[in-house]
Amino acid sequence: MKLFSFLFTSTIGRKWLMGLTGLFLISFLLVHCSVNACIFFNDEGETFNMAAEFMGTNWIIRSMEFVLFGGLLLHIFQGLYLWKFNADARKKRYSVNAGSANSTWYSRSMGILGTLLLLFLVVHLKDFWLTSRFTDVITSGEKTLFQEMKEVFANPLPVVIYVLGCISLCYHLLHGFQSAFQTLGINHKSYTPIIQSTGRLFSIVVSLLFAAMPVAMHLDWIQ
Amino acid sequence: MSNSNMNLKLKVWRQQNANDTGHFEDYRVQASPDMSFLEMFDVLNEQLITEGKDPVAFDHDCREGICGMCSMVINGRPHGPKHGVTTCQLHMRSFSDGDTIVVEPWRSNAFPVIRDLSVNRSSFDRIIAAGGYVSVNTGNAVDANATLIPKEIADEAFEAATCIGCGACVSACKNASAMLFVGAKVTQLALLPQGRAEASKRVVAMVNQMDAEGFGACTNTGACSAECPKQIPLSVIATLNREYIKAKLKGY
Ligand code: HEM
Ligand code: SF4
Ligand code: FES
């Protein structure tokens, strides 16, 4: 254990944990987004319900859920810690700031963007995860997860919250995706530009797809 | 030389010592576009001395961009608005007649203000003292081809070695992180055979000292490299991260 204590004690160690958990969360997003995108088959949720049922019952996937929550908690804990730690490293602040001359606003706002994501996640987990895992609404066959989605997104408020969540996600990842590789020590003349454009593409496509789901359901584009 | 044809308004940070809270003072100065930023400050100081006032304390030495002493945050940017130059190499022609220029010191807990614009950067010295060297005498320069080092590697090491330790990276970073500086030093030594032998021990010692000095953690915004007068690339931070984890996993 002592061998790995640096992941919680040194700045670079903490960053390594951020990068590793960040990339892990990205891999989860890829799966999550693919499964959910099944609603776009527009087949009354048949394909989606099948995929969701597999995800909800397969024991390998179910055990990954613990790893996922562990990773998410580590990422949040470490992220909030570093946010505070870094802000404290400059007690006396500048009176003129010219941050936009040397960096993007979203790279400087990872703490805020992450916190918005966290708030969104609380709402999101309450909407679907609690219902599907801790009540028997879905398992009893009372309604399918697809019907649950249709119900939630019939209201405009959740739709707005979800779209805002997706915007935060997009900017968090626009910086985070490539940043994680840099943190893990991967920076290379030819590969880094590829990582950067993949990151931009990933952030935009995944966020757009996620945002399209509540919107499409609300507008009844998806039946 | 100096036909003074620029009228400038300066807002300069004045602070008696590390414990003083400090404040901005307004000054008016006439400068020529051919002057360097520091020469413009010399004019200001002569003016203040003639008026019987305290001159502004600021650091400088070589005035040709190699010592790293000059340290001013000019309108929110370390070393001013130009890329790849130090404050001493910045010319007044980068500004316009009638401009108001705000000048502050490097701000970071690890760089306490000594007086006015002069800050104590001995935290950098202590990081170097922790391991930024080769501990045995490597002797005189040997025959050029006795130790083969590919040109690209030599270039990369040299690029990292151009860091002048000015601290603009810390000053520009929203986290006051010193990782560009430490990355440059670690990279420069890790790439060459003379430094490689102690690479693991060195990186852990330097990072421990960096953390002990109270610098923040890098979030890869890239502000440091964008403001660095020697344009040290961000890749040195990736190298630092890589060297550090390798050393840690080896048990250093
Ligand atoms: C699905 C959700 C999330 C994903 C995919 C994600 C992904 C990432 C990635 C890839 C990074 C870059 C890591 C690096 O630079 O090494 C990052 C950084 C960060 N994340 Fe997240 N994140 C998520 C949720 C959150 C949440 C909920 C928070 C809550 C506070 C958060 C806070 C942060 C902070 C503060 C950073 C910057 C830390 C630093 O660079 O030192 N993230 N995230
Ligand atoms: S990395 Fe650049 S900004 Fe930082 S100390 Fe070296 S020369 Fe100055
Ligand atoms: S005074 Fe030496 S670098 Fe500016």
Side-chain angles (χ1 to χ4, degrees), chain B residues 22-183:
Chain B
H23 64 281
F24 280 102
E25 286 278 347
D26 291 349
Y27 301 106
R28 285 190 181 278
V29 134
Q30 289 203 331
S32 134
D34 301 328
M35 285 179 181
S36 77
F37 202 82
L38 295 188
E39 283 168 334
M40 185 271 291
F41 257 77
D42 293 337
V43 171
L44 169 69
N45 274 349
E46 271 174 42
Q47 201 172 296
L48 288 176
I49 291 167
T50 328
E51 289 167 13
K53 294 186 186 143
D54 241 357
V56 181
F58 63 91
D59 277 322
H60 60 105
D61 188 15
C62 71
R63 296 208 177 196
E64 58 179 7
I66 54 171
C67 76
M69 276 313 280
C70 52
S71 51
M72 293 185 185
V73 175
I74 302 161
N75 290 337
R77 300 185 61 185
H79 295 303
K82 287 264 144 73
H83 283 291
V85 293
T86 51
T87 302
C88 57
Q89 297 170 299
L90 177 68
H91 286 93
M92 292 316 293
R93 55 175 170 268
S94 307
F95 300 86
S96 314
D97 187 30
D99 275 1
T100 299
I101 308 174
V102 183
V103 189
E104 299 174 73
W106 280 186
R107 294 198 193 278
S108 145
N109 301 359
F111 289 162
V113 171
I114 299 170
R115 189 184 176 95
D116 301 336
L117 302 173
S118 171
V119 297
N120 185 342
R121 283 169 279 184
S122 53
S123 45
F124 267 17
D125 300 339
R126 287 188 291 273
I127 294 175
I128 295 293
Y133 48 80
V134 172
S135 23
V136 292
N137 191 341
T138 51
N140 289 334
V142 289
D143 274 355
N145 290 329
T147 311
L148 293 178
I149 299 165
K151 177 78 165 74
E152 307 84 75
I153 304 270
D155 285 349
E156 222 183 306
F158 184 78
E159 183 185 38
T162 58
C163 163
I164 52 177
C166 63
C169 41
V170 175
S171 150
C173 175
K174 80 171 191 44
N175 313 315
S177 167
M179 288 198 195
L180 195 68
F181 166 74
V182 179

Side-chain angles (χ1 to χ4, degrees), chain A:
Chain A
M1 254 359 260
K2 195 171 160 287
L3 190 62
F4 294 105
S5 63
F6 71 96
L7 291 173
F8 294 94
T9 52
S10 88
T11 47
I12 298 187
R14 285 180 179 274
K15 285 283 330 193
W16 265 81
L17 203 55
M18 271 324 269
L20 288 172
T21 52
L23 282 186
F24 172 66
L25 291 175
I26 284 177
S27 71
F28 150 77
L29 280 183
L30 190 63
V31 177
H32 187 24
C33 189
S34 311
V35 169
N36 284 26
C38 290
I39 63 166
F40 294 119
F41 282 113
N42 218 345
D43 53 2
E44 290 170 5
E46 203 183 313
T47 321
F48 168 71
N49 282 334
M50 230 163 64
E53 164 145 348
F54 169 76
M55 299 302 284
T57 49
N58 183 288
W59 67 270
I60 300 180
I61 308 276
R62 290 308 304 271
S63 29
M64 277 309 282
E65 218 169 271
F66 290 100
V67 185
L68 176 62
F69 273 95
L72 184 64
L73 286 178
L74 276 176
H75 187 83
I76 294 171
F77 166 78
Q78 204 68 300
L80 293 178
Y81 176 91
L82 284 171
W83 190 18
K84 169 95 174 70
F85 177 85
N86 285 338
D88 286 350
R90 176 174 292 129
K91 287 251 155 59
K92 175 77 196 153
R93 314 204 64 87
Y94 289 108
S95 53
V96 180
N97 282 292
S100 54
N102 54 38
S103 50
T104 58
W105 70 266
Y106 48 89
S107 74
R108 286 177 271 125
S109 316
M110 292 297 275
I112 291 279
L113 290 168
T115 307
L116 289 176
L117 266 178
L118 181 60
L119 294 178
F120 162 74
L121 280 177
V122 173
V123 175
H124 179 48
L125 289 177
K126 184 200 122 287
D127 282 348
F128 295 107
W129 186 69
L130 283 188
T131 322
S132 70
R133 299 284 188 267
F134 293 95
T135 67
D136 59 0
V137 178
I138 309 286
T139 41
S140 67
E142 192 184 314
K143 38 183 172 173
T144 65
L145 200 56
F146 182 80
Q147 282 163 335
E148 171 74 11
M149 272 170 99
K150 286 290 286 183
E151 260 169 51
V152 170
F153 296 133
N155 278 322
L157 184 64
V159 177
V160 172
I161 295 179
Y162 275 65
V163 169
L164 290 178
C166 292
I167 294 175
S168 316
L169 178 69
C170 185
Y171 282 108
H172 197 72
L173 291 184
L174 270 180
H175 178 65
F177 192 103
Q178 51 84 35
S179 171
F181 287 88
Q182 165 81 0
T183 299
L184 303 184
I186 300 164
N187 188 315
H188 184 277
K189 283 203 294 302
S190 348
Y191 298 131
T192 295
I194 300 175
I195 292 171
Q196 287 171 338
S197 29
T198 310
R200 276 192 291 270
L201 192 71
F202 181 91
S203 319
I204 294 169
V205 170
V206 167
S207 309
L208 274 181
L209 274 175
F210 270 132
M213 294 167 194
V215 173
M217 289 211 149
H218 184 73
L219 299 177
D220 280 334
W221 291 344
I222 289 184
Q223 303 288 336

